[in-house]
Amino acid sequence: YISSSGASTEWIYPLCTGLTSDYYKDGSGCFVALDLAVVLHHRIKSRQQLEKAKRDSDPITWFTEYENGLLREGTSNFFSYTSLVGCQTQKKCIYPKSSFDRGKRANPHDLPKHPDEIRILSCDFAFAAGKDNDNSALTLIRLMPQKLGARINEDGHTVSTAYKVVVPYIQADQGCHVDIQALRVKRLFYDFSCDYVVLDTRNAGLYAYDRLAQVLYDSERDCEYPAWSCFNDDNTANRIVVPGSVPCAFVITASAKLNSDIAMLMRDVIASNRLELLVDHQVAMEEVLPNIKEYTEAQDGDTLVFFERPYIETQALISEMINLEYQKSLATGDIKIYETGSNRKDRYSSLSYGVYLAYLLERDLVSNTGDYEYGVYIN
């Protein structure tokens, strides 16, 4: 057998472990791993070529193709690699307006909304710059109603519909000043024709809400964005009151119990085949991006990155999720999700908060038109 470690995790990991075991038992097995060190030593590729390959690759591809990493299920991993890859069915992403779309009033990369579709921009903030710190992750979620057939949920209620959770865009950047991030959120919200924004208000996230609760002027686009207000927490809503503000902000200050519930919701959405992620970067390069004229005619690297980035970010999300481990409290039964080593969970947190709002919308706890009653579902 000669193969890449990423060819098929279902068969290659048992084969490699079996060959290694045979070698130590009776010498009949042989296993050789050729990674980037061998490539450099024999001058098959230069360091500059490998650095470019790493920049152009998503984390999973680099891990399996160049570092001989084997993706396998562990007993402490909360999310399954196989199940997440099975969610990669969405080819079409939605892009925000770019710098070369500056003079256009509408976003040329948007997709028309389907009947009853709801769009959520879900945010997990970080404010410390530097590669060793967390990222700020912004995730666009499209909720598509679909019939599930009658079933009984955990509260004994009959559920006949649920939302398909489609994720056509992810953006993760190093932490920066709160004003820059607030403007970034406003831009994406209106570029994507969103209905709700989900904000993690822990720590400095509350100050991001304060900026979003005011009218913001965008000097680059020469426009103003209206003030927003929180509709699910009175204390947050009363921090800044602007007449005519748009009640679109849903805030989360997560407790250990709520984080546990959200983790179980994420697993349920995946298991019920209701999560649709973008296809991997290589499939996009072969089947999607060649159909985009601006991409094929691009003369600069920034344009190429603009169109490829959502697919790379999706692979980074999967890489984050498969490296998350968990512990279960014997006293409460709650699940604690945590990252190990230098791994992060910013993209996961951003997506999972949006999935939580989707869950509340499914249960009619939040309504576009009715009166709001909140409080007990947070904290």
Side-chain angles (χ1 to χ4, degrees):
Y1 298 86
I2 300 177
S3 178
S4 159
S5 68
S8 177
T9 56
E10 288 81 6
W11 64 266
I12 197 170
Y13 182 76
L15 175 65
C16 293
T17 53
L19 290 171
T20 306
S21 177
D22 290 341
Y23 173 80
Y24 284 105
K25 284 179 180 178
D26 55 20
S28 63
C30 177
F31 176 74
V32 180
L34 307 176
D35 58 14
L36 57 87
V38 176
V39 172
L40 282 171
H41 178 76
H42 292 283
R43 299 181 181 178
I44 299 171
K45 288 187 176 182
S46 68
R47 181 184 180 90
Q48 290 74 23
Q49 287 175 312
L50 287 174
E51 288 175 345
K52 182 180 185 303
K54 187 171 185 178
R55 288 194 301 268
D56 295 342
S57 299
D58 59 80
I60 293 177
T61 299
W62 176 262
F63 179 65
T64 57
E65 296 295 332
Y66 290 93
E67 297 180 352
N68 282 325
L70 290 173
L71 299 170
R72 57 192 176 93
E73 313 297 343
T75 56
S76 59
N77 295 103
F78 192 72
F79 297 105
S80 159
Y81 172 72
T82 303
S83 62
L84 286 169
V85 170
C87 296
Q88 291 189 272
T89 58
Q90 186 71 19
K91 291 186 176 181
K92 185 65 174 176
C93 70
I94 300 177
Y95 297 97
K97 290 173 68 174
S98 66
S99 57
F100 47 81
D101 299 317
R102 188 176 302 170
K104 300 175 182 177
R105 294 183 63 85
N107 179 16
H109 312 291
D110 196 7
L111 291 176
K113 278 189 176 181
H114 291 274
D116 299 323
E117 175 187 344
I118 295 173
R119 293 186 183 180
I120 297 170
L121 183 63
S122 189
C123 312
D124 182 52
F125 293 114
F127 297 97
K131 64 180 181 179
D132 295 329
N133 294 306
D134 291 339
N135 289 321
S136 282
L138 310 177
T139 305
L140 172 63
I141 298 173
R142 304 176 70 191
L143 302 183
M144 308 288 199
Q146 62 178 3
K147 296 291 183 180
L148 295 178
R151 62 188 180 96
I152 307 298
N153 66 9
E154 67 276 10
D155 295 329
H157 298 117
T158 301
V159 178
S160 59
T161 61
Y163 285 113
K164 181 193 299 181
V165 179
V166 182
V167 184
Y169 186 83
I170 301 173
Q171 175 180 307
D173 296 287
Q174 288 185 1
C176 58
H177 194 276
V178 62
D179 290 339
I180 297 174
Q181 297 199 55
L183 185 58
R184 184 184 298 159
V185 170
K186 292 261 189 178
R187 283 179 178 175
L188 292 182
F189 184 90
Y190 291 105
D191 283 355
F192 294 143
S193 305
C194 291
D195 303 289
Y196 300 104
V197 61
V198 178
L199 307 172
D200 173 20
T201 53
R202 293 172 302 171
N203 305 321
L206 194 58
Y207 298 109
Y209 170 81
D210 289 347
R211 302 300 195 278
L212 295 168
Q214 303 176 54
V215 176
L216 293 184
Y217 173 68
D218 187 339
S219 59
E220 182 178 323
R221 297 188 181 184
D222 189 26
C223 67
E224 277 190 344
Y225 301 112
W228 296 345
S229 59
C230 171
F231 61 80
N232 70 303
D233 184 86
D234 289 339
N235 290 331
T236 303
N238 291 332
R239 287 175 62 88
I240 297 177
V241 179
V242 177
S245 60
V246 181
C248 62
F250 179 87
V251 300
I252 290 181
T253 306
S255 63
K257 171 61 177 174
L258 183 57
N259 280 331
S260 175
D261 292 342
I262 290 174
M264 297 305 296
L265 281 172
M266 279 295 302
R267 183 182 267 183
D268 179 66
V269 168
I270 295 169
S272 59
N273 298 317
R274 291 191 290 124
L275 178 64
E276 290 192 6
L277 301 175
L278 290 175
V279 295
D280 68 58
H281 183 227
Q282 190 59 41
V283 173
M285 293 285 287
E286 295 173 357
E287 301 180 14
V288 183
L289 297 175
N291 299 320
I292 300 176
K293 183 178 179 180
E294 296 95 327
Y295 178 82
T296 57
E297 296 180 354
Q299 300 295 317
D300 61 287
D302 289 343
T303 302
L304 297 177
V305 170
F306 174 79
F307 285 104
E308 292 180 30
R309 184 179 181 182
Y311 299 95
I312 297 175
E313 292 281 10
T314 299
Q315 293 302 110
L317 166 70
I318 293 175
S319 180
E320 278 187 8
M321 293 180 68
I322 63 176
N323 283 296
L324 291 175
E325 299 188 0
Y326 78 101
Q327 292 178 336
K328 186 173 183 178
S329 170
L330 296 178
T332 65
D334 291 342
I335 298 294
K336 179 183 179 182
I337 300 290
Y338 61 92
E339 60 268 61
T340 58
S342 60
N343 297 314
R344 297 172 175 173
K345 61 183 182 74
D346 318 302
R347 296 173 183 85
Y348 160 75
S349 296
S350 175
L351 172 60
S352 66
Y353 294 153
V355 168
Y356 176 60
L357 176 57
Y359 166 74
L360 297 181
L361 290 168
E362 285 175 357
R363 298 186 51 169
D364 292 328
L365 295 180
V366 181
S367 170
N368 277 321
T369 57
D371 294 330
Y372 300 110
E373 291 185 7
Y374 302 93
V376 299
Y377 308 108
I378 316 301
N379 299 326

